[in-house]
Each structure stands twice: as C-alpha cells, then as structure tokens.
Amino acid sequence: MSWTNYLQPLSKQYHKHVPEEYQKYVPHLWILGAGVIGIYVLRGLISYFRILREVRGLPVKHAFLPAYEQGLRARVPHIPYILPVKDFYSRPEWDRFEKPRSDLLAYTVATQNYAIYWTANPYTAQHVFTKTSLFEKPVFNARYQAAKKFGHNIISASDGDDHKRHKSVVRGCFGEDVFRSAWEEMDNTIEMLLDEDKLREGGIMEDVGVTTIKITYIVIGKVGFGYDIPWETPRSKKGEKMGFVESYEIVDRTMLYQFVLPLWIMKILPTKELRRMGDGRTAFLAYCYEMARGKRAELTALKEAGEKSKAPVDLLGAMVHAQLVAEEEARVQHGHDSVPNVGLKEDEVIGNMFIFLLAGHETTGHTLAFTLAQLALHPEWQEEVYKEVKEVCGDERPSYRDVHRLPLCLAVGLEAMRLTDIVRQLFKVAKEDSMLPYTTWNEAGEVTHREHFVKKGSVVFIDTPACQLNPFHWKDANDFNPRRHLSDDVSRASLNNAEVPFVAFSMGPRQCIGRRFAEVEMICFISIILSKYTIHPVPIHPGETKESMKERMIGSALEDVTMTPGKFSVRFEKRH
C-alpha cells in the first residue's frame, strides 16, 4: 500500500467538496504543507539554538514575542516567556541590571532571528554610538518605518549617504537666527502662560505636564511653521474647513495613532474620533505642502529679482532655503542647471518637519515638567539658579545674549533629564562581528571589566535611563545635583562636561540635531521663571512627606511615545 493511502480516509473526511478525480492529490498537499511548516519550525529552532550559543556567559532572558518597544510595553500584560514585558522594562530602571550584577543583558526572542542586548553602561553606549564602522542605525525597525508616515526624514534615513544628504540640509536650518527666535518665542509664550493661567501674581499651575507641553507646542508652531498659535485652539464647525492650528493640534495630540495607523484605516473605521484624526492628518499635510511651495516660490522670486535672500527664521522656511542653497551649489559645481538627487525632495522636507514637531516639542515639554517638579522638591537649587541669573542679568530680564552665560540653568534641565529620561531607549545593529565592553560586579561592589563577542546582525539597545542612573559611573546617582554637568571652571554647562558620557541626546554623527534648540528653550524657561518666582509643590493632604510628593510628581510618569508626566501641580510664588 502506498504511504499516501494512509491519508486517503482523512482526505475524504475533510475534503468532501474536492472532486473525486482530485482526491488522490490531497494527501500530497497535506505532506507538502506539513513539510513547509516543519522546515519553518526547524529553521526557527536552529536559529534559536544559534542565538543561545551567541549569548552564553551573559544573564539571559527568554521570550516568544518581542516586548521591548516603548509605548507598547506599558500597554500589554506581562506573560512570562511569551510576552515578558517586565523582563524588558523596570522602574526603577537600574533594578533589572542590579539584580544579575551585570550592565549588559542578553535576550532571546523566538520570533526574531538575531541576538538582542541591553546595556546600562554609558561607556558601552558611547562605544556603540561612535564606532560607526561597527554599528549602524537599524532603519528596518518598525519605529523608523512608522516615522516615514509623513515622508522620509533624518530619523528614518540609513547611515551613510542618505543620512548625510538629510543632515546637510537640516543642519543648515539651525543657525543663530533660529535659536534667537526660539528664545524670543519662549519668552512670549511664558508671558501668555502667566496671563492665561492667571499666574502673574502667583498661583497654582494645575497640570504641569499638560501646561509645559502646550508651551513648547506654541513655540514650535511659531518657530517651526511661522504660525502664531493661540493658547486655546479654535474649533471648526461641521462643514467648515479645518484650520492649520486645529489640524496641527490633532496630529500632535494623537502622535502614537498617527505612527501606528495608516490613513485609510482612520477613514473607514466608524468612529468619530478616528475620522477626526485622519482629517487632521490630511489637512495638516496639505497646509505643510502649501507653505513649503509658497516659501520656495517666494525665495525663488527674490533670487530672480537679483535680491539676496536671507534664511527665514522659521524652520520650514529655513529648510526650503537650505534646499535652494544646496541646489545652487550643485549647479555651480556641475556646471549645468539640472542636477538630480540634490538635497531633499518635497515630501522629505515635510517628513522632517513632522519629526521637528514630534522631537522638537514633546521631549522638551516633558523635560520642563520634570524640571519644575525637581525644582519644587529642591528649593536650594532654585536659589542657586536665581543667584546666577542675578549675577549675569542684574535687574534686567534674561535674553538670548545671555544664553552662554547661564550654565546652571542648562545644567538644571540636563539633570532633570538624566533622572527621568524622556526617550527611554536607543539602539543600533552590528554591521560586523566585534567585541562589546561591559562590566560585572560582586556582592562587595568590586567591578570586573569584560568583553562579549557580538555577531553581525545583533541588535544592541541603549537603556538610556539606566545608563544615567548607573551608580558605578554616576556618584550619588539618584540625587538631584545639576553641578555634575558643569566643567571645572563652571563657565558653561554642556553634554560633554559631565565626567560620564551623557547619552540622552545620543552621541556621534546621529546625535540629536535639535539638541541646541532644546537647550535654548530650557535655559530661557528656567532663567525667566526663576528670576520672577519661587516654585513649590502642592501637597494633596496636610503633612504629605517629600518622598510621597516625589513619587506622585515624578514616579507617576508613564511611558508613551516618550516618558509622560503624571498629573501634578506646583505653586508659583512671586519674588519681592
């Protein structure tokens, strides 16, 4: 009897709808299907055992599904070995490294055919960020693919020529005029805050995280797009055209959905909220293209009229100007008018503006919220900052000319970011086989420096909060001490003046290109507010302890696209 005859009864039972003359082929299809599944499972097992060999010698956690993407890991249940969220994420952040006594952990994920590593060592992070011959950006990752929803951009650009092309144009946007404009708009928005929230004579800022996000949202609206954003967003009525400010707010407040959901899903699902998100995205993109084309036409007309155009002080205009400069330089270099693939395409300009909207205000807004919380809990640092501002500015209001003379104001913002990092994780993929440095320690705290062999294709995650709370590198790591970011002569705060690599803005050629923009916003906000007011926590009951207030104001933060503050209030008290 043929081996296929054993499957004939099964074929007839489950495939009665198959014509009789084809019944004889059904067993073969069963075998073929089983073979394909078997090969797939076998390949997965071989890959899994290969990865187990690669990670030998390190503390290892196992999972069937990946559970490391921020925004996701705070929303799904912890299922051991299947979706082990708590293995990839802990609060306090240093805990998952402290228990195995290693600042390098390995993970195996059955559904991914490469080894995954997490480091909490800032020097290992520096090695990964700066050794561009060994590590590169994993643009295949879902988050970077999602970042292209509005157009290819500097975040989603692969290392090498693609990134250089974006950076050559984007970098040209961030000049002194844009930084000065950022300061002036932050100053104007602070005045708006004091009037709208009735804080001019002192009072309570009710929801600090929501308020600081609104502040940076207004600043980037003006500096980014050249629009005056009101404190309260106007709403269009049914049948009316949605305005730019309304569409801008919708996209901003639904960022996670904008990343995850395609536009057609938003359009067809029968929920008013999702349709509004889709309408907001459509309108926002239309306005962006209209503004970019209008600015290009305006600058081109000035050039044709023989007038030398100065770069606009809004980021969109500055990017269009930088693009025109790149095209002109290419024409001069190549000697003819048509030079393809120079600078950025139109949709790439819009894609980069979307990234400015996301990275240019949400991260800074949340950092300012945590800064206010830390200052409220540490009044001694308020007085240190006030002393610095008075020494530099006297009785005058701080202005952009003072930006380099207020190092402690920047250091306060950096320290708040160190203690509560906003971005949470950065990662690279190994381009070549190489050695990855790390450390382990014993019960007595004696450190041993080691290296682990990392295969090409492995992914290395930088746990930025854990790197910045690593007690073997940061003295009194959990203490709020802004002076750790100042150089010996305390003349200027800098990411590079701390004794330990500060990884929150990344490092190397992919360091956050808007870093200085964020620094200017922080210095302006901190110096102006503390020159006029003292900041105090608002207890929720008489006798609430400082530790309880700290947990409520800072420990209540939750992961979303970025680390988002919980709801808390502070009280402004006017200085006399």
Side-chain angles (χ1 to χ4, degrees), residues 448-472:
T448 301
H449 293 273
R450 303 180 185 275
E451 288 187 321
H452 181 79
F453 181 70
V454 174
K455 293 282 289 182
K456 178 181 178 180
S458 300
V459 174
V460 182
F461 281 82
I462 312 302
D463 191 320
T464 52
C467 282
Q468 292 164 185
L469 295 171
N470 187 324
F472 294 99

Short mmCIF file of all heavy atoms in Angstrom, two decimals, residues 448-472:
data_model
loop_
_atom_site.label_atom_id
_atom_site.label_comp_id
_atom_site.label_asym_id
_atom_site.label_seq_id
_atom_site.Cartn_x
_atom_site.Cartn_y
_atom_site.Cartn_z
N THR A 448 34.46 44.14 37.62
CA THR A 448 35.33 43.44 36.67
C THR A 448 34.96 43.89 35.25
O THR A 448 33.79 43.86 34.87
CB THR A 448 35.15 41.92 36.77
OG1 THR A 448 35.45 41.49 38.10
CG2 THR A 448 36.06 41.19 35.79
N HIS A 449 35.95 44.32 34.50
CA HIS A 449 35.73 44.75 33.12
C HIS A 449 35.82 43.54 32.19
O HIS A 449 36.76 42.75 32.27
CB HIS A 449 36.76 45.81 32.72
CG HIS A 449 36.60 47.10 33.46
ND1 HIS A 449 35.77 48.11 33.05
CD2 HIS A 449 37.16 47.53 34.63
CE1 HIS A 449 35.81 49.11 33.89
NE2 HIS A 449 36.65 48.79 34.87
N ARG A 450 34.83 43.41 31.33
CA ARG A 450 34.76 42.24 30.46
C ARG A 450 34.44 42.68 29.02
O ARG A 450 34.14 43.84 28.76
CB ARG A 450 33.68 41.28 30.95
CG ARG A 450 33.85 40.80 32.38
CD ARG A 450 32.74 39.84 32.78
NE ARG A 450 32.81 39.47 34.18
CZ ARG A 450 33.56 38.47 34.66
NH1 ARG A 450 34.30 37.76 33.82
NH2 ARG A 450 33.56 38.18 35.95
N GLU A 451 34.48 41.70 28.12
CA GLU A 451 34.05 41.91 26.73
C GLU A 451 33.20 40.72 26.30
O GLU A 451 33.44 39.59 26.74
CB GLU A 451 35.25 42.05 25.80
CG GLU A 451 36.02 43.36 25.96
CD GLU A 451 37.09 43.52 24.90
OE1 GLU A 451 37.75 42.51 24.58
OE2 GLU A 451 37.28 44.65 24.39
N HIS A 452 32.24 41.01 25.44
CA HIS A 452 31.39 39.94 24.91
C HIS A 452 31.44 40.00 23.39
O HIS A 452 31.34 41.09 22.79
CB HIS A 452 29.95 40.09 25.40
CG HIS A 452 29.05 39.01 24.90
ND1 HIS A 452 29.01 37.75 25.44
CD2 HIS A 452 28.15 39.00 23.86
CE1 HIS A 452 28.13 37.01 24.81
NE2 HIS A 452 27.59 37.74 23.84
N PHE A 453 31.57 38.83 22.76
CA PHE A 453 31.62 38.76 21.31
C PHE A 453 30.21 38.91 20.74
O PHE A 453 29.31 38.12 21.07
CB PHE A 453 32.24 37.44 20.87
CG PHE A 453 32.37 37.28 19.38
CD1 PHE A 453 33.28 38.04 18.66
CD2 PHE A 453 31.57 36.39 18.69
CE1 PHE A 453 33.40 37.90 17.29
CE2 PHE A 453 31.67 36.24 17.33
CZ PHE A 453 32.60 37.00 16.62
N VAL A 454 30.01 39.91 19.91
CA VAL A 454 28.71 40.21 19.32
C VAL A 454 28.76 39.91 17.82
O VAL A 454 29.62 40.43 17.10
CB VAL A 454 28.32 41.69 19.55
CG1 VAL A 454 27.04 42.04 18.81
CG2 VAL A 454 28.16 41.96 21.04
N LYS A 455 27.83 39.09 17.37
CA LYS A 455 27.80 38.71 15.96
C LYS A 455 27.13 39.79 15.10
O LYS A 455 26.26 40.53 15.55
CB LYS A 455 27.02 37.40 15.79
CG LYS A 455 27.70 36.19 16.40
CD LYS A 455 28.82 35.65 15.55
CE LYS A 455 28.31 34.99 14.29
NZ LYS A 455 29.39 34.42 13.47
N LYS A 456 27.53 39.84 13.85
CA LYS A 456 26.90 40.73 12.87
C LYS A 456 25.39 40.47 12.83
O LYS A 456 24.96 39.32 12.83
CB LYS A 456 27.51 40.49 11.50
CG LYS A 456 26.90 41.31 10.38
CD LYS A 456 27.55 40.99 9.05
CE LYS A 456 26.91 41.79 7.92
NZ LYS A 456 27.53 41.49 6.60
N GLY A 457 24.61 41.54 12.83
CA GLY A 457 23.16 41.41 12.79
C GLY A 457 22.50 41.50 14.15
O GLY A 457 21.28 41.64 14.25
N SER A 458 23.29 41.40 15.22
CA SER A 458 22.74 41.53 16.57
C SER A 458 22.31 42.97 16.81
O SER A 458 22.89 43.91 16.25
CB SER A 458 23.78 41.13 17.62
OG SER A 458 24.20 39.80 17.43
N VAL A 459 21.29 43.15 17.66
CA VAL A 459 20.79 44.48 17.97
C VAL A 459 21.18 44.83 19.41
O VAL A 459 20.97 44.03 20.33
CB VAL A 459 19.26 44.57 17.80
CG1 VAL A 459 18.72 45.91 18.28
CG2 VAL A 459 18.89 44.35 16.33
N VAL A 460 21.76 46.02 19.58
CA VAL A 460 22.18 46.49 20.90
C VAL A 460 21.32 47.67 21.30
O VAL A 460 21.33 48.71 20.63
CB VAL A 460 23.67 46.88 20.90
CG1 VAL A 460 24.10 47.33 22.30
CG2 VAL A 460 24.54 45.72 20.43
N PHE A 461 20.56 47.52 22.37
CA PHE A 461 19.72 48.58 22.90
C PHE A 461 20.48 49.34 23.98
O PHE A 461 21.11 48.74 24.85
CB PHE A 461 18.44 48.01 23.51
CG PHE A 461 17.38 47.65 22.52
CD1 PHE A 461 17.43 46.44 21.85
CD2 PHE A 461 16.34 48.52 22.25
CE1 PHE A 461 16.45 46.10 20.93
CE2 PHE A 461 15.35 48.18 21.33
CZ PHE A 461 15.41 46.97 20.66
N ILE A 462 20.40 50.65 23.90
CA ILE A 462 20.95 51.51 24.95
C ILE A 462 19.78 51.88 25.86
O ILE A 462 18.87 52.60 25.46
CB ILE A 462 21.58 52.79 24.37
CG1 ILE A 462 22.51 52.46 23.19
CG2 ILE A 462 22.27 53.58 25.45
CD1 ILE A 462 23.63 51.54 23.50
N ASP A 463 19.80 51.38 27.08
CA ASP A 463 18.77 51.75 28.06
C ASP A 463 19.20 53.08 28.66
O ASP A 463 19.92 53.14 29.66
CB ASP A 463 18.66 50.66 29.13
CG ASP A 463 17.44 50.85 30.02
OD1 ASP A 463 17.14 52.00 30.36
OD2 ASP A 463 16.78 49.86 30.37
N THR A 464 18.77 54.17 28.04
CA THR A 464 19.28 55.49 28.44
C THR A 464 18.96 55.84 29.89
O THR A 464 19.84 56.39 30.58
CB THR A 464 18.77 56.59 27.48
OG1 THR A 464 17.35 56.51 27.37
CG2 THR A 464 19.39 56.43 26.10
N PRO A 465 17.76 55.55 30.43
CA PRO A 465 17.54 55.87 31.84
C PRO A 465 18.48 55.10 32.76
O PRO A 465 19.01 55.66 33.73
CB PRO A 465 16.08 55.47 32.08
CG PRO A 465 15.47 55.40 30.73
CD PRO A 465 16.56 54.99 29.81
N ALA A 466 18.69 53.81 32.47
CA ALA A 466 19.58 53.01 33.31
C ALA A 466 21.03 53.47 33.19
O ALA A 466 21.77 53.47 34.17
CB ALA A 466 19.45 51.53 32.94
N CYS A 467 21.45 53.85 31.97
CA CYS A 467 22.80 54.39 31.79
C CYS A 467 23.02 55.62 32.67
O CYS A 467 24.11 55.80 33.24
CB CYS A 467 23.03 54.79 30.33
SG CYS A 467 23.38 53.44 29.20
N GLN A 468 21.99 56.42 32.78
CA GLN A 468 22.12 57.69 33.51
C GLN A 468 21.85 57.54 35.01
O GLN A 468 22.01 58.50 35.77
CB GLN A 468 21.19 58.72 32.89
CG GLN A 468 21.67 59.10 31.50
CD GLN A 468 20.67 59.81 30.63
OE1 GLN A 468 20.95 60.06 29.47
NE2 GLN A 468 19.50 60.15 31.14
N LEU A 469 21.49 56.34 35.44
CA LEU A 469 21.30 56.05 36.87
C LEU A 469 22.27 54.97 37.35
O LEU A 469 22.11 54.46 38.46
CB LEU A 469 19.85 55.62 37.12
CG LEU A 469 18.78 56.68 36.86
CD1 LEU A 469 17.39 56.07 36.92
CD2 LEU A 469 18.90 57.83 37.85
N ASN A 470 23.26 54.66 36.52
CA ASN A 470 24.23 53.62 36.86
C ASN A 470 25.12 54.11 38.00
O ASN A 470 25.92 55.02 37.83
CB ASN A 470 25.08 53.31 35.62
CG ASN A 470 26.00 52.14 35.82
OD1 ASN A 470 26.53 51.92 36.90
ND2 ASN A 470 26.22 51.38 34.76
N PRO A 471 25.00 53.51 39.19
CA PRO A 471 25.74 54.02 40.36
C PRO A 471 27.24 53.79 40.29
O PRO A 471 27.99 54.38 41.07
CB PRO A 471 25.11 53.24 41.52
CG PRO A 471 24.62 51.97 40.91
CD PRO A 471 24.17 52.33 39.52
N PHE A 472 27.70 52.93 39.37
CA PHE A 472 29.13 52.70 39.23
C PHE A 472 29.80 53.79 38.39
O PHE A 472 31.02 53.85 38.31
CB PHE A 472 29.38 51.32 38.61
CG PHE A 472 28.97 50.19 39.49
CD1 PHE A 472 27.76 49.55 39.31
CD2 PHE A 472 29.79 49.77 40.53
CE1 PHE A 472 27.37 48.51 40.13
CE2 PHE A 472 29.41 48.73 41.36
CZ PHE A 472 28.19 48.09 41.17
#
